[in-house]
Amino acid sequence: MKRLVLILAAVAALIVTPGRAGAHAELVGSGPPNGAVLREPPTAVEVRFSEPVTAAFTAIQVRDSAGVRVDAGDGRVDPQDPTRLVAGLRPLGEGLYTISYRVTSLDGHVVQGTLAFSVGTAPPPAEAAGGAGAPGVSLPAGLLHGLTQWLSLLLAGLPAFLLLVWTPVAGVRRLPGSLRLVGDGLSSLLILSGLGELGLYAVQASGEPLSAGLLLNAATGTRTGQLWLVRSALGLLAGSVLTYAGRLGGPLTRALALLPGAGLLLTLSLQSHAMATRQWLPVAADFVHLLAAAAWAGGLAGFALTLPSLGPAERRALLDPVIRRFTPVAAAAVLLLAGTGAYGALLHVPGPDAVTTTTYGRTLATKLALLVPVLALGALNMVRRGHGRFDRAVWAELALMVAIVAATGFLTSIPPARAEIRARSGPFSSLVHLQPLALRLKITPARIGMNTPTVEVAEHDGTPISGASVGLRVRERDHDIGLHSVEARETEPGVYVADPIIFGMPGDWEVEVVVLTRAGQEVRYPFVVSVP
């Protein structure tokens, strides 16, 4: 009972502990800088990211204001520096040009956006296209990823249960005769679900309709596709371990036979939110989380698979010692799940409010809510030692675990909670009282892409100040992607509207407002705008 209380306390900590969000590849710079006005046309463009990216499809395009492509068609990831996208340009004239990019980050998510620059004196018009973040995740993608995770857990956990828990107690003769069918079925379904995931990724990453050629290109030319190929091969090997489980003798042989399943789970960790942190500890914690889940799920599936083949006398003789052997494994798995799950929540959930106000948080809460009855059923089975309606309890646990893994599939496919919270932010508006006047800056919509800034200048009593000279200086605070300056025009007394400014990436942008009144008084104030 004390052990169960400790486990429930660890799970409850997931809900109340604040943390920080993980990240996908982020834009850190470009050449020309975003919003730059150039005297001479460039001969090439580049876009730089916070981590290595891949782009087997059209990675970068440059278009003029009429939408005509002006790049040389050689856009690619720099082979010497995989954090850079580069593309040559045809001869350019005066005007506005937009750079659009579409790449895949280390966690397998597609990241896309738009930057702009001008040649000559042409300012960026308000109707120019703005940037975009990572595309949203569809219901099929979440379901397929959840199915891939569930099949991977079974292919890793079921052989471990049969070789390390069941066989040492019951012997190889009592292994069910359906193992070949189970192994072939699980590995085949894993390949098919992964193929479905790959097809959805290929369409999203390329912007093209699905075709055999596109699928082949994605499988062989992208990191996502290469991981699918490795996962499929390991899935076939893990299925073969189930087929030949009765012929694997000796502790060393059995331990080596579990390596394909472990490698299968590792491919999932190498394509998780943890991978985007570019740190070994989050990836290792995710891997341990999957290993623990596989041990638990594999044990439940093992009981469901082996018990129907036993007669009443064999069942009474074997069930108690098998449960005794599995109990410490299940207890350790639950503790590891709670610990690594809490660490994962620290990475991706900013605070308690995000649990109820974001899709990620609500999905996490659903997962935790489903975990409570699973823990209760597991504790009940440990106490009963196989007596009572043990079979029904096992199947109930399995059904709940399927729902938990489905929720996990969506968690690994949707943006972290912090990103969703920032994406909901509305237009920016901030008022400051300075000496000798008051400034209000409004920016609409305060999102990636084109934004319209409005500055209101007034006395402290609210009297508008007309005839002032107002300018804005815009820069991203954490990355050196250039400084953009614009002048504002007075449209009504005390109200000054500037040409659109471009926020080319998520983050904190500094918009410094400089006001020079007709009386010669100068005021400067740096506003900070958080862009989702």
Side-chain angles (χ1 to χ4, degrees):
M1 181 60 67
K2 290 182 178 180
R3 177 182 295 172
L4 181 59
V5 171
L6 288 174
I7 292 172
L8 290 174
V11 173
L14 292 176
I15 303 178
V16 299
T17 308
R20 64 186 187 280
H24 310 312
E26 292 184 352
L27 178 73
V28 298
S30 66
N34 185 38
V37 179
L38 309 177
R39 293 184 178 180
E40 299 293 332
T43 59
V45 295
E46 68 169 335
V47 182
R48 299 183 297 276
F49 297 92
S50 59
E51 66 180 49
V53 296
T54 60
F57 310 103
T58 302
I60 182 172
Q61 296 182 5
V62 184
R63 297 180 183 272
D64 61 18
S65 58
V68 178
R69 285 189 63 174
V70 294
D71 59 274
D74 60 350
R76 65 199 181 281
V77 176
D78 186 347
Q80 304 301 320
D81 181 2
T83 64
R84 296 174 66 241
L85 280 180
V86 294
L89 295 175
R90 302 170 185 169
L92 304 182
E94 289 191 356
L96 171 73
Y97 297 91
T98 56
I99 305 170
S100 59
Y101 58 86
R102 189 193 298 257
V103 296
T104 303
S105 59
L106 290 175
D107 61 359
H109 288 79
V110 176
V111 177
Q112 61 182 357
T114 302
L115 306 171
F117 66 92
S118 295
V119 177
T121 58
E127 63 270 14
V137 177
S138 65
L139 178 63
L143 290 175
L144 283 173
H145 193 68
L147 179 59
T148 295
Q149 286 191 319
W150 177 244
L151 294 169
S152 299
L153 293 178
L154 292 181
L155 283 167
L158 189 54
F161 173 81
L162 294 176
L163 295 177
L164 302 182
V165 177
W166 180 263
T167 302
V169 175
V172 297
R173 293 184 179 180
R174 291 187 175 91
L175 287 171
S178 59
L179 285 183
R180 176 185 288 275
L181 179 62
V182 172
D184 291 346
L186 290 176
S187 57
S188 298
L189 285 174
L190 178 70
I191 293 173
L192 290 176
S193 66
L195 189 62
E197 276 195 279
L198 185 64
L200 291 175
Y201 161 76
V203 170
Q204 188 181 58
S206 67
E208 303 173 8
L210 184 63
S211 65
L214 180 66
L215 199 59
L216 180 62
N217 190 9
T220 59
T222 69
R223 181 176 179 273
T224 299
Q226 291 159 4
L227 280 173
W228 170 71
L229 290 174
V230 173
R231 185 179 303 132
S232 299
L234 291 171
L236 290 172
L237 289 175
S240 298
V241 171
L242 282 176
T243 300
Y244 299 103
R247 304 181 188 180
L248 300 174
L252 180 59
T253 302
R254 291 175 180 175
L256 292 175
L258 301 181
L259 291 180
L264 180 60
L265 299 180
L266 182 60
T267 64
L268 296 176
S269 293
L270 293 177
Q271 206 172 3
S272 66
H273 282 315
M275 192 64 188
T277 65
R278 302 183 68 190
Q279 299 176 10
W280 69 268
L281 184 57
V283 178
D286 188 83
F287 180 51
V288 171
H289 192 82
L290 290 174
L291 287 174
W296 194 358
L300 294 174
F303 280 118
L305 188 64
T306 55
L307 292 181
S309 63
L310 298 179
E314 287 182 312
R315 181 188 177 97
R316 287 192 296 270
L318 294 175
L319 197 52
D320 185 68
V322 171
I323 291 177
R324 287 180 181 274
R325 189 175 179 89
F326 179 67
T327 294
V329 176
V334 171
L335 289 174
L336 287 173
L337 284 170
T340 54
Y343 178 67
L346 290 176
L347 289 174
H348 304 304
V349 180
D353 291 345
V355 175
T356 57
T357 60
T358 66
T359 302
Y360 188 97
R362 288 190 293 269
T363 306
L364 178 62
T366 301
K367 176 182 175 181
L368 295 175
L370 292 170
L371 189 58
V372 173
V374 171
L375 290 172
L377 286 172
L380 182 64
N381 287 332
M382 284 192 293
V383 172
R384 288 182 172 181
R385 297 290 184 187
H387 299 290
R389 298 180 176 180
F390 182 74
D391 297 52
R392 291 186 180 182
V394 167
W395 280 106
E397 276 193 78
L398 272 174
L400 288 169
M401 286 206 71
V402 169
I404 290 173
V405 173
T408 304
F410 280 99
L411 283 176
T412 54
S413 300
I414 60 181
R418 187 185 299 274
E420 184 178 340
I421 290 173
R422 295 180 66 184
R424 289 201 220 122
S425 60
F428 174 85
S429 179
S430 178
L431 173 67
V432 294
H433 287 273
L434 307 170
Q435 290 297 333
L437 49 80
L439 288 179
R440 180 183 293 277
L441 174 65
K442 297 179 179 179
I443 296 182
T444 305
R447 300 287 180 90
I448 293 176
M450 294 293 179
N451 292 266
T452 301
T454 302
V455 179
E456 297 177 359
V457 185
E459 304 284 356
H460 291 292
D461 62 2
T463 303
I465 297 178
S466 298
S469 174
V470 178
L472 296 89
R473 293 160 56 89
V474 184
R475 70 179 184 91
E476 213 284 331
R477 301 184 76 189
D478 299 324
H479 305 99
D480 183 16
I481 59 174
L483 180 68
H484 181 45
S485 299
V486 294
E487 297 296 324
R489 303 176 303 278
E490 188 171 12
T491 58
E492 57 184 278
V495 178
Y496 301 80
V497 179
D499 290 323
I501 57 177
I502 301 172
F503 294 142
M505 61 182 291
D508 292 331
W509 289 74
E510 181 181 292
V511 181
E512 183 183 35
V513 177
V514 182
V515 177
L516 180 63
T517 68
R518 286 189 295 187
Q521 298 169 313
E522 183 178 278
V523 175
R524 295 173 177 263
Y525 188 82
F527 293 88
V528 177
V529 183
S530 293
V531 178

